[in-house]
Amino acid sequence: MKIFAVGMNYILHNKELDGTLYKPEEPVIFTKADSSLLKDGKPFFPPDDLGRIDYEGELVVRICRLGKNIPVRFAHRYYDAVTVGVDFTARELQSRLRKEGRPWELCKGFDGAATIGDWVDVAKFRDVQALRFRLEVNGLTVQEGCSADMLFKIDELIAYISRWFTLKTGDIIYTGTPPGVGPVSVDDHITGWIEDRKVLEFNVK
């Protein structure tokens, strides 16, 4: 099982991160270690030695069949479910890595950094590219997004990633975060929603 993630896929988050509105020329893809996956409502334990840890709520898709060099027009056949996940980020470390032109895996792929909610069959939605989702911390909405605002759409991401990696059943893709990222603290209670459906719930310990 592989975990892919997409950076800078919402233009307002790009402004939040870098102070300017822009679209990357190609999707920004990075991977997370399989040991970073945190599911079934298990608590998240922020690492003590990585400084500030930020939440990044994202729509996540699940790959359902083997595929390589998938054309965009057929990409919708390769995923069957969506959920909300949190791409936890060691923000200070990320800033340093970006300045040095180094990969992001250390700040994005540590244990527990890929929290994931319950899967919902895509057949339950009219259009997965028009889904509203949100993240709440202690009952307050901190992030709201709509998949229609993605700079690179889900099918485009699948086609692009499959150029470099063979996608397999069970692989997952974090599709990028909207604006509103912020630090987590011990005792925070985090929930994630797709439309009016709560799909994610866990505590920070």
Side-chain angles (χ1 to χ4, degrees), residues 66-135:
L66 184 73
K68 175 70 173 174
N69 292 320
I70 302 166
V72 172
R73 68 184 184 277
F74 295 138
H76 66 279
R77 302 177 181 177
Y78 287 81
Y79 59 99
D80 64 350
V82 295
T83 190
V84 169
V86 178
D87 168 19
F88 281 113
T89 304
R91 188 65 69 197
E92 295 157 340
L93 176 57
Q94 185 193 35
S95 296
R96 178 164 62 84
L97 293 173
R98 292 184 73 200
K99 288 178 181 177
E100 296 172 357
R102 295 169 59 191
W104 293 7
E105 274 73 11
L106 294 180
C107 67
K108 293 277 196 176
F110 54 88
D111 289 354
T115 309
I116 199 165
D118 298 326
W119 294 108
V120 183
D121 193 319
V122 295
K124 295 185 178 295
F125 304 107
R126 177 185 295 181
D127 183 0
V128 295
Q129 208 58 71
L131 291 180
R132 296 193 175 277
F133 61 98
R134 70 183 189 273
L135 196 73

